Amino acid sequence: MNNAAPAQGVGAPVIHAAPPRPSYIPPFGLRTVIGCLGMLLAVHVAGFNEHVTEIGLSDIRGAMHIGHDEGTWVIAIYEAFNIAAMAFTPWFYMTFSIYRFSIFMTAAMALLSIPAPFMPDVTSLCILRAFQGLTAGCLPPVLMTVMLKYLPPEIRVFGIGGYAMSATFGPNLGLPLEAFWFERMGWHWLYWEIIPTAALAIAMMAYGLPKDPMHFERFEKFNWLGLLVGLPAICSLVTVLYQGDRLDWFRSSVITDLTFWGGAAFIVFVINEAFHPSPYFRIQYWRSRNIQAALLSLVGILAICAIMGDIPATYLSAVRGYRPIQTAPVSLVVALPQLIMLPLIAAFCNSRKVDCRFVLAGGMLCLAASAWLGTWLTVDWVRDNFYPLQILQVFGQPMTVIPTLMLATLAMGPADGPFISGMVNMLKGLANAVAYALFAALTRRREQYHSTMLLDHHGTHGLALQGMGNPITQQLSVTSPDSAHVARNSLQVFHTYVHEQALVLALNDIYYVLIWVCLGYACMNLILPRRVYPPRAPSPNTPAR
């Protein structure tokens, strides 16, 4: 008896049924959903620990008697180890198991926050924050793998949308959380606010994540050279981005040495990864047009979103004197709608009729329109003037991040997940460092330029307008009979006006730059990547398309 299946066309490729799941992975159900949500919560906890303490650094410095320059190192060291950890995490969670590794790192991150407010000096605080950044950076790569590994193909795009929350929802919620904890609970809670949510995340992961086995035999091919070279290389380059503008870049021997030795070590690291039998990520993925477009877009998009979030906060703080609690509604306008927009965009992109490249281009146009509205910024703006800009970002951020992650992950096979995960997450973290460096450098240089131009214009035309009187002096003359005192106050007020105008013009320039960058990314993603389709569970002997 011939039981062979009916013959198909000669040479027609066949997609075979997906291999059976390992025995430790239970059928998809409520328990798996709880475990995935626990992993998502843990990543948000790590993000809150990063953004809340960064935004609240001024309050922390005042409470712990830390100077401004020393305080910048607290952020730089945390971010350096946080980003470096993302590159090496996939190898370790494959070795120690996702279940155990995730719970341990979440618990360690929460426990390290307990002594943080009681550190006796800046050095001990930096060391503690370095270890905390290391543990927090281990969580986002695990989330990407969990969403791609444990969710059925039909809803995998929703898992990508959940991961995208860490890039859109979490950063925009950092400012409101900082305002709440500092104003209502006290500055200690800027560190401690992660403890209750971390405990909840650990409970959800312990209940829902599959208990995968450990593979200690992987240590036989452990990539020692990659770790010993790559970790200090990434930390050095991230430190350059965070400290470069403050130390005036290559006029500083610290920045020069870190760039030279960190760059040299990173080149050795990349060469080692290309040829090592057990790499942390595969450099060969960059040969793919989709990977090139997706990873370049990911860095650019997240940097654009970060800068667009920094501009309102900087303006309202420097020009209007707002406290974080007064600026919080501007961030909430972007953060809260993401809970609805991310699932909607994921559902839209989950249709095979929708080309995610056009969704990405549409999102870039929304961000470009938001930046164009920002070019109307003046010193008369208040908080409400930023709401139209933020509403456009409500649509633009998920429309760009979700398609970018789809282009980066859906072109890969299941075995490629850990290797692409580390690369994507390291670049995701690096985008924040790039945004910080670009915003600091552009703001300072353009503000100095406009300040010089305004003062030069005043000096050139000051005598011509002298007969019209000085309105500042006229208003202040009634406050004091001492003419010298009035003159000094008039000069201070004049300098304040010049500073405000120069800062506003600098922020306008940044908005103009963002318009063209957004349009450039929109064009690039319509040309460079190939189309990807949302995954579906293959049926046996289905002809490939």
Side-chain angles (χ1 to χ4, degrees):
M1 180 179 294
N2 186 3
N3 295 327
Q8 300 181 7
V10 178
V14 175
I15 296 179
H16 298 285
R21 282 192 164 193
S23 57
Y24 63 83
I25 302 181
F28 180 75
L30 179 61
R31 186 164 186 167
T32 305
V33 171
I34 293 175
C36 293
L37 291 177
M39 191 71 244
L40 179 62
L41 179 60
V43 171
H44 280 302
V45 170
F48 296 154
N49 181 57
E50 172 187 358
H51 297 293
V52 170
T53 51
E54 181 178 344
I55 295 169
L57 181 64
S58 298
D59 299 318
I60 292 174
R61 287 194 292 106
M64 300 185 71
H65 308 290
I66 297 174
H68 175 269
D69 290 350
E70 293 86 350
T72 60
W73 284 103
V74 176
I75 292 179
I77 290 175
Y78 178 92
E79 294 292 345
F81 281 90
N82 183 35
I83 295 171
M86 296 179 183
F88 305 100
T89 292
W91 192 94
F92 287 95
Y93 72 62
M94 287 191 295
T95 302
F96 293 103
S97 81
I98 291 176
Y99 175 82
R100 296 170 183 82
F101 185 81
S102 304
I103 293 176
F104 176 80
M105 288 300 171
T106 306
M109 177 185 63
L111 292 175
L112 286 172
S113 67
I114 297 176
F118 308 112
M119 290 293 102
D121 51 41
V122 176
T123 302
S124 57
L125 179 62
C126 287
I127 293 173
L128 184 143
R129 290 292 285 174
F131 281 103
Q132 198 172 29
L134 198 66
T135 57
C138 291
L139 296 175
V142 185
L143 173 64
M144 175 173 282
T145 301
V146 165
M147 294 300 184
L148 296 176
K149 183 177 182 179
Y150 296 149
L151 294 182
E154 294 82 3
I155 62 172
R156 198 162 291 162
V157 174
F158 291 92
I160 294 175
Y163 174 81
M165 290 182 67
S166 63
T168 58
F169 176 75
N172 288 301
L173 202 61
L175 182 61
L177 284 177
E178 192 279 339
F180 172 79
W181 289 115
F182 181 79
E183 301 291 344
R184 304 295 182 186
M185 304 295 293
W187 72 273
H188 295 79
W189 283 91
L190 298 178
Y191 292 112
W192 295 344
E193 49 97 17
I194 67 171
I195 297 176
T197 45
L200 177 60
I202 290 171
M204 295 171 69
M205 290 188 292
Y207 173 76
L209 287 183
K211 298 177 175 60
D212 46 332
M214 294 184 287
H215 299 281
F216 292 118
E217 67 277 4
R218 290 170 54 83
F219 277 102
E220 297 176 1
K221 297 182 179 180
F222 184 63
N223 188 356
W224 289 103
L225 179 61
L227 180 64
L228 295 177
V229 175
L231 183 64
I234 297 173
C235 288
S236 298
L237 296 178
V238 174
T239 303
V240 168
L241 291 174
Y242 274 95
Q243 293 289 334
D245 190 69
R246 186 182 69 85
L247 298 177
D248 204 11
W249 296 102
F250 297 107
R251 292 181 178 87
S252 166
S253 59
V254 174
I255 297 300
T256 303
D257 292 342
L258 286 176
T259 303
F260 178 78
W261 293 110
F266 190 77
I267 293 173
V268 174
F269 172 67
V270 170
I271 296 174
N272 176 73
E273 294 302 291
F275 297 100
H276 198 278
S278 180
Y280 294 105
F281 48 75
R282 299 190 186 279
I283 304 299
Q284 293 81 357
Y285 288 155
W286 280 92
R287 298 173 182 172
S288 167
R289 290 171 55 181
N290 280 41
I291 296 299
Q292 294 171 13
L295 296 183
L296 290 175
S297 297
L298 185 67
V299 175
I301 290 167
L302 295 180
I304 291 169
C305 294
I307 292 174
M308 284 188 168
D310 288 338
I311 291 177
T314 300
Y315 170 83
L316 293 173
S317 174
V319 177
R320 289 293 172 181
Y322 280 23
R323 288 282 301 154
I325 196 169
Q326 297 169 303
T327 311
V330 178
S331 297
L332 287 175
V333 168
V334 179
L336 295 183
Q338 298 301 318
L339 298 175
I340 300 175
M341 288 302 303
L342 285 167
L344 286 179
I345 299 298
F348 185 68
C349 292
N350 201 32
S351 171
R352 296 180 69 84
K353 298 179 181 179
V354 175
D355 190 340
C356 67
R357 296 174 299 177
F358 292 102
V359 178
L360 198 161
M364 296 308 305
L365 293 179
C366 288
L367 294 179
S370 176
W372 178 75
L373 291 179
T375 60
W376 297 83
L377 176 66
T378 69
V379 292
D380 298 321
W381 275 33
V382 292
R383 183 177 62 195
D384 295 351
N385 294 102
F386 286 99
Y387 289 155
L389 285 70
Q390 303 298 86
I391 291 173
L392 284 170
Q393 294 179 47
V394 169
F395 296 93
Q397 290 190 14
M399 288 175 65
T400 53
V401 175
I402 291 178
T404 301
L405 293 173
M406 290 178 64
L407 291 171
T409 58
L410 297 186
M412 301 286 101
D416 299 317
F419 299 104
I420 195 66
S421 173
M423 193 182 302
V424 167
N425 283 276
M426 184 187 72
L427 292 176
K428 171 177 168 287
L430 194 63
N432 292 327
V434 171
Y436 184 94
L438 285 176
F439 184 71
L442 288 174
T443 303
R444 179 173 63 87
R445 293 182 182 275
R446 297 307 298 173
E447 184 181 355
Q448 290 175 348
Y449 169 80
H450 288 297
S451 178
T452 301
M453 291 298 102
L454 290 171
L455 291 174
D456 180 73
H457 186 76
H458 175 266
T460 302
H461 300 281
L463 293 177
L465 300 175
Q466 191 173 18
M468 301 179 64
N470 188 334
I472 299 176
T473 303
Q474 291 173 2
Q475 293 184 14
L476 294 179
S477 60
V478 298
T479 62
S480 174
D482 187 353
S483 59
H485 180 70
V486 171
R488 287 194 299 270
N489 287 347
S490 299
L491 188 61
Q492 291 177 358
V493 172
F494 173 73
H495 285 168
T496 300
Y497 285 157
V498 171
H499 168 69
E500 291 177 353
Q501 292 288 352
L503 177 61
V504 167
L505 291 171
L507 297 179
N508 272 312
D509 291 344
I510 295 175
Y511 273 128
Y512 274 113
V513 172
L514 292 179
I515 292 174
W516 293 106
V517 173
C518 291
L519 295 177
Y521 271 113
C523 295
M524 184 190 76
N525 283 284
L526 290 176
I527 299 172
L528 184 58
R530 295 184 176 90
R531 183 178 181 181
V532 297
Y533 291 89
R536 295 291 184 268
S539 58
N541 301 325
T542 301
R545 295 184 179 181

